[in-house]
């Protein structure tokens, strides 16, 4: 299972301009991730976790080296191709949920399916399925401002999962949650990984998250320090 | 595209009070532009209709020497009715008018006038010429209400009229006012006296001659100028009205442009603020699979939709208001006599389809532009920074 690379980077480098000079946030990352992995980037603040996740999510591009996601080279994609990749294959989960505030829970989860032109019937089935999974079927008409942080993050998970993406990229998904909620959403994601074989890549320094990871990739100063698989 | 509209609509409604404030201000512009332009359209129509009804029909032939602004030209501006007009005159599709200079003496004062001869049986113009077809102890004459007021004349008054015949000899006779008519067209009213054309022809010793022919419809235009007669099309004859309306339009445009600009400024401001405040949302759209260009489109549609909502809101209170306004009209407090143009005491606005469609397109385009302008900035945003909400 783990031998088909979903993500592959070669000497991936990211340089940001900083004042007069520049700053290397990623310094030659070589990484391979297979289908169905449940992995996390772990490291102190500023070690380049988010930067790497953004590039793999085709929200940013490498300065040098290669980043292949599902066989597509991120730096070489046009804006349209990159958008298509995100739309079809990648689910994002953010620290601050990033739900659409004026939309209901149902509509937030439905949104990715609208972008993919699913029919109304399919949408309904998939949205209700995803909401059932995260345990929010009783809140479909509520809007994000009326939900707790844990509930918001569960909506975000449902939104990321509803289209059954190949990869879910989760940047500090528990940072705004208490312990109970953190464990709750981590269990949900672990279960999805088990049942749907979706590849998960986290960025975190939360021990609760680290406890669930099957593979821990330690970053330090933009380089891979250790790569440990359970 | 359909999704973008749905999304834009939701976002706009979701923005609540701010949206409604923008929409209401914009809807004012809508309604006021339509009302103001409606007055001019109504005026234009009323003026042209009144001119057609009272004076110019579907167009005229003028004697080539005739100049309505030069009374002295009249002594040379007449000729016998050409044979090709005879049939149309006979079947009532053309009316000859002979015009000469004269003087009346109301209350002992001397008042120069134009004496206009017209056939009493004509029905092409609204002039009540049937009142010239009576027997009174003098030449029957009809005058306009403004002429009557200015000279303190009443129906049944007798007065002396003096004129010069074709040989330049002065002569005088008595006329009797048989009818005073009310019209919005000053050029058939002020300082003129209408009498039967046969009387005028014999008085002036110009048998069977005329100065102007008015015809019923534009079909005769095909004939063009003929002999001594110059064709004056309806369009030429109303061009002065058109010029005046154009001048008025320009004046109006300044007024409602200010209103529209204020409304657009509010929308522009909202857009600028949105793009700053909704960075995370913008980043989210990108993360979910939009290109930045599509997000620009989304925000543009959202802004432009203010115009659509404004049209709807404007219609809710605007349709009853505009209908009431069209029925009630507006009094401009000027009379046609003072104005020198065909202008009704009360003006009734007319809202044509093209006026409504044109205004909608104008407002929609202007709103789209001010919505697009700040939204372009999204295309230059870094989505990762937008997601963090860090752009200053
Ligand atoms: N757009 C940018 N311009 C300049 N420097 C940047 C930019 N984005 C990130 N950096 C720098 O790159 C380094 C890595 O940032 P990154 O956000 O990837 O860290 P992180 O590991 O996610 O940290 P944290 O745990 O605090 O989220 C940091 O030093 C950061 O200041
Ligand atoms: Mg980070």
């Amino acid at each position: 299972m783990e031998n088909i690379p979903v993500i592959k980077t070669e000497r991936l480098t990211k340089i940001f301009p900083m004042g007069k000079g520049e700053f290397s946030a990623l310094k030659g990352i070589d990484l391979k991730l297979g289908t169905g992995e449940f992995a996390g980037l772990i490291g102190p603040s500023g070690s380049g976790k988010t930067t790497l996740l953004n590039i793999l999510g085709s929200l940013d591009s490498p300065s040098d080296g290669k980043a292949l996601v599902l066989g597509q080279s991120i730096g070489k994609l046009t804006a349209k191709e990159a958008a298509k990749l995100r739309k079809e294959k990648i689910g994002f989960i953010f620290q601050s949920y990033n739900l659409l505030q004026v939309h209901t829970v149902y509509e937030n989860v439905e949104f990715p399916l609208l972008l993919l032109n699913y029919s109304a019937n399919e949408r309904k089935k998939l949205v209700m399925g995803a909401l059932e999974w995260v345990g929010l079927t009783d809140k479909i008409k509520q809007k994000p401002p009326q939900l707790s942080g844990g509930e918001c993050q569960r909506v975000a998970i449902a939104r990321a999962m509803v289209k059954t993406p190949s990869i879910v990229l989760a940047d500090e998904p528990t940072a705004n949650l208490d312990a109970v909620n953190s464990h709750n959403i981590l269990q949900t994601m672990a279960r999805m990984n088990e049942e749907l074989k979706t590849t998960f890549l986290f960025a975190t320094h939360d021990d609760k998250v680290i406890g669930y990871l099957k593979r821990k990739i330690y970053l330090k100063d933009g380089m891979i320090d250790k790569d440990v698989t359970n | 595209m359909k999704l973008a509209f749905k999304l834009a609509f939701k976002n706009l409604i979701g923005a609540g009070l701010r949206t409604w404030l923008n929409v209401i201000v914009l809807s004012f512009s809508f309604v006021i532009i339509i009302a103001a332009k409606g007055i001019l359209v109504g005026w234009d129509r009323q003026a042209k209709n009144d001119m057609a009804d009272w004076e110019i029909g579907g167009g005229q032939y003028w004697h080539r020497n005739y100049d309505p602004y030069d009374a002295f030209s009249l002594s040379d501006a007449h000729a016998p009715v050409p044979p090709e007009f005879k049939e149309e005159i006979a079947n009532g599709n053309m009316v000859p008018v002979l015009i000469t200079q004269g003087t009346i003496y109301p209350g002992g004062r001397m008042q120069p006038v134009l004496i206009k001869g017209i056939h009493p049986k004509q029905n092409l113009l609204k002039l009540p010429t049937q009142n010239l077809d009576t027997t009174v102890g003098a030449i029957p004459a009809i005058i306009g209400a403004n002429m009557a007021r200015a000279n303190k004349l009443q129906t049944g008054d007798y007065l002396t009229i003096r004129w010069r015949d074709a040989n330049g000899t002065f002569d005088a006779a008595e006329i009797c006012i048989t009818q005073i008519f009310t019209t919005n067209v000053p050029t058939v009213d002020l300082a003129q006296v209408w009498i039967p054309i046969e009387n005028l022809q014999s008085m002036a010793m110009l048998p069977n001659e005329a100065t102007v022919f008015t015809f019923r419809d534009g079909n005769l235009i095909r004939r063009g100028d003929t002999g001594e007669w110059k064709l004056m099309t309806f369009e030429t004859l109303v061009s002065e009205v058109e010029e005046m309306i154009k001048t008025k339009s320009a004046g109006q445009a300044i007024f409602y442009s200010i209103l529209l600009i204020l409304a657009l400024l509010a929308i522009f401001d909202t857009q600028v603020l949105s793009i700053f405040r909704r960075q995370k949302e913008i980043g989210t759209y990108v993360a979910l699979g939009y290109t930045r260009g599509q997000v620009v489109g989304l925000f543009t549609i959202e802004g432009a939709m203010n115009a659509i909502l404004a049209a709807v809101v404007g219609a809710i209170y605007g349709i009853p208001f505009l209908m009431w306004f069209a029925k009630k009209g507006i009094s401009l407090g000027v009379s046609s006599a003072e104005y020198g143009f065909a202008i009704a005491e009360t003006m009734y606005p007319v809202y044509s389809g093209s006026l409504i469609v044109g205004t909608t397109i104008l407002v929609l385009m202007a709103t789209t532009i001010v919505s697009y302008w700040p939204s372009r900035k999204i295309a230059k945003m870094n989505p990762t920074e937008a997601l963090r909400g860090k752009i200053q």
Side-chain angles (χ1 to χ4, degrees):
Chain A
M1 183 70 56
E2 255 120 273
N3 46 16
I4 311 158
V6 175
I7 289 169
K8 189 176 165 202
T9 70
E10 283 172 18
R11 290 176 292 103
L12 175 60
T13 302
K14 182 67 183 179
I15 297 167
F16 290 115
M18 252 213 352
K20 286 188 194 100
E22 19 184 63
F23 175 81
S24 299
L26 299 175
K27 303 167 184 160
I29 301 279
D30 286 300
L31 183 65
K32 251 191 215 173
L33 230 68
T35 302
E37 286 211 50
F38 201 73
L41 304 168
I42 303 164
S45 186
S47 56
K49 306 182 292 289
T50 299
T51 304
L52 179 53
L53 226 49
N54 284 339
I55 292 172
L56 296 175
S58 80
L59 291 171
D60 209 346
S61 50
S63 308
D64 201 2
K66 259 192 188 171
L68 295 169
V69 176
L70 300 163
Q72 305 200 55
S73 182
I74 295 300
K76 296 202 175 104
L77 299 178
T78 63
K80 253 194 168 148
E81 289 164 341
K84 189 172 186 297
L85 178 69
R86 292 192 297 271
K87 185 162 66 178
E88 292 174 354
K89 307 287 186 198
I90 299 172
F92 285 94
I93 294 169
F94 304 99
Q95 174 180 338
S96 52
Y97 328 128
N98 287 12
L99 299 177
L100 302 174
Q101 300 296 312
V102 299
H103 293 241
T104 63
V105 165
Y106 185 94
E107 289 163 342
N108 265 285
V109 178
E110 185 188 29
F111 196 82
L113 302 180
L114 288 168
L115 290 183
L116 291 167
N117 296 318
Y118 276 81
S119 74
N121 276 339
E122 284 175 299
R123 288 203 305 268
K124 183 151 199 205
K125 213 178 78 198
L126 290 170
V127 172
M128 290 315 287
L131 284 171
E132 212 162 295
W133 213 326
V134 297
L136 279 176
T137 42
D138 55 334
K139 301 246 155 111
I140 56 173
K141 291 232 170 77
Q142 313 243 33
K143 289 183 181 169
Q146 302 161 320
L147 301 177
S148 72
E151 286 168 336
C152 283
Q153 197 60 301
R154 274 145 67 196
V155 176
I157 294 169
R159 180 177 68 182
M161 294 307 299
V162 72
K163 61 187 177 188
T164 49
S166 306
I167 306 164
V168 172
L169 301 171
D171 194 352
E172 320 260 13
T174 56
N176 289 347
L177 301 179
D178 59 22
V180 175
N181 273 308
S182 296
H183 283 294
N184 181 315
I185 68 136
L186 282 163
Q187 277 158 14
T188 309
M189 290 194 275
R191 188 158 51 89
M192 284 176 175
N193 169 254
E194 283 290 315
E195 294 182 24
L196 302 173
K197 298 289 170 262
T198 309
T199 306
F200 275 79
L201 183 60
F202 291 83
T204 190
H205 44 225
D206 179 354
D207 288 334
K208 294 187 290 301
V209 179
I210 296 168
Y212 284 83
L213 298 175
K214 291 182 205 152
R215 179 177 171 192
K216 305 177 188 78
I217 302 151
Y218 291 88
L219 288 189
K220 201 174 153 190
D221 293 336
M223 288 180 287
I224 294 180
D225 191 29
K226 269 191 296 182
D227 190 341
V228 187
T229 305
N230 293 352
Chain B
M1 202 60 177
K2 201 177 136 219
L3 176 61
F5 275 96
K6 256 171 79 176
L7 202 59
F9 182 72
K10 222 178 211 127
N11 287 339
L12 206 52
I13 300 294
L17 188 62
R18 193 177 186 93
T19 295
W20 294 116
L21 283 177
N22 287 344
V23 162
I24 285 166
V25 174
L26 192 58
S27 78
F28 285 153
S29 323
F30 249 114
V31 174
I32 287 173
I33 290 173
I34 291 174
K37 285 200 149 190
I39 293 173
L40 290 187
V41 173
W43 186 356
D44 181 70
R45 259 194 219 178
Q46 166 261 321
K48 286 176 184 170
N49 284 344
D50 285 352
M51 282 177 77
D53 288 348
W54 287 91
E55 188 181 14
I56 61 172
Q60 293 182 318
Y61 280 101
W62 287 6
H63 187 274
R64 58 183 162 78
N65 293 333
Y66 175 56
D67 177 356
Y69 297 110
D70 177 11
F72 296 104
S73 73
L74 287 169
S75 53
D76 297 320
H78 51 79
V81 176
E84 62 265 40
F85 289 177
K86 290 228 162 92
E87 196 189 320
E88 273 132 3
I89 293 167
N91 60 30
N93 285 328
M94 208 183 230
V95 172
V97 173
L98 179 63
I99 308 172
T100 66
Q101 268 189 287
T103 313
I104 54 169
Y105 299 89
R109 281 185 308 113
M110 190 177 108
Q111 166 71 44
V113 293
L114 294 178
I115 312 170
K116 294 189 170 176
I118 189 164
H119 203 281
K121 291 225 160 65
Q122 71 81 29
N123 64 359
L124 202 158
L125 300 173
K126 267 195 181 167
L127 293 164
T129 50
Q130 69 277 6
N131 292 299
L132 298 174
D133 200 11
T134 59
T135 330
V136 282
I139 301 165
I142 57 172
I143 57 172
N146 289 306
M147 165 75 174
R149 197 176 315 125
N151 295 294
K152 299 197 174 65
L153 293 171
Q154 279 164 356
T155 313
D157 281 0
Y158 284 80
L159 64 162
T160 306
I161 191 162
R162 241 160 72 93
W163 70 94
R164 255 181 341 170
D165 66 20
N167 302 324
T169 315
F170 280 103
D171 204 346
E174 254 205 323
I175 59 168
C176 172
I177 311 293
T178 57
Q179 172 78 28
I180 292 168
F181 57 86
T182 305
T183 176
N184 297 321
V185 183
T187 42
V188 299
D189 178 342
L190 293 176
Q192 46 199 287
V193 174
W194 294 84
I195 64 171
I197 189 166
E198 275 163 24
N199 290 61
L200 186 56
Q201 284 167 339
S202 65
M203 283 154 66
M205 297 209 291
L206 299 167
N208 197 34
E209 295 206 14
T211 307
V212 168
F213 296 90
T214 301
F215 49 80
R216 200 179 285 279
D217 58 44
N219 292 338
L220 287 167
I221 288 169
R222 270 183 269 120
R223 191 187 281 140
D225 294 355
T226 166
E228 306 212 67
W229 303 97
K230 196 166 66 167
L231 174 68
M232 302 295 288
T233 62
F234 183 82
E235 287 68 32
T236 318
L237 291 166
V238 297
S239 61
E240 269 180 67
V241 173
E242 227 138 65
E243 277 306 309
M244 178 212 48
I245 300 274
K246 242 182 234 160
T247 314
K248 294 266 159 206
S249 288
Q252 266 194 355
I254 293 171
F255 159 71
Y256 57 63
S257 293
I258 291 172
L259 194 73
L260 186 59
I261 285 168
L262 285 177
L264 294 175
L265 215 59
I267 290 168
F268 183 84
D269 180 58
T270 304
Q271 289 291 106
V272 172
L273 212 71
S274 274
I275 286 151
F276 179 72
R277 280 208 300 214
R278 292 165 62 190
Q279 287 177 46
K280 275 194 166 188
E281 184 186 335
I282 291 166
T284 306
Y285 290 130
V286 174
L288 289 173
Y290 270 98
T291 62
R292 284 177 295 182
Q294 285 173 314
V295 182
V296 173
L298 180 65
F299 274 66
T300 305
I301 291 172
E302 197 177 309
M305 212 171 252
N306 279 297
I308 295 166
L309 287 183
V312 173
V313 169
I316 291 170
Y317 68 81
I319 289 174
F321 166 73
L322 291 171
M323 271 163 57
W324 168 82
F325 189 36
K327 225 169 113 185
K328 176 123 192 308
I330 183 173
S331 173
L332 295 190
V334 256
S335 73
S336 59
E338 296 162 49
Y339 214 75
F341 269 112
I343 173 171
E345 303 263 307
T346 306
M347 210 97 70
Y348 296 95
V350 171
Y351 318 115
S352 61
S354 64
L355 168 61
I356 291 164
V357 171
T359 307
T360 309
I361 290 174
L362 169 79
V363 174
L364 186 61
M365 283 204 334
T367 312
T368 307
I369 292 166
V370 296
S371 303
Y372 170 69
W373 204 253
S375 305
R376 287 176 314 157
K377 219 180 152 194
I378 294 171
K380 294 194 200 99
M381 268 188 193
N382 182 336
T384 63
E385 284 175 21
L387 273 168
R388 285 188 297 180
K390 282 221 178 123
I391 299 165
Q392 292 308 310

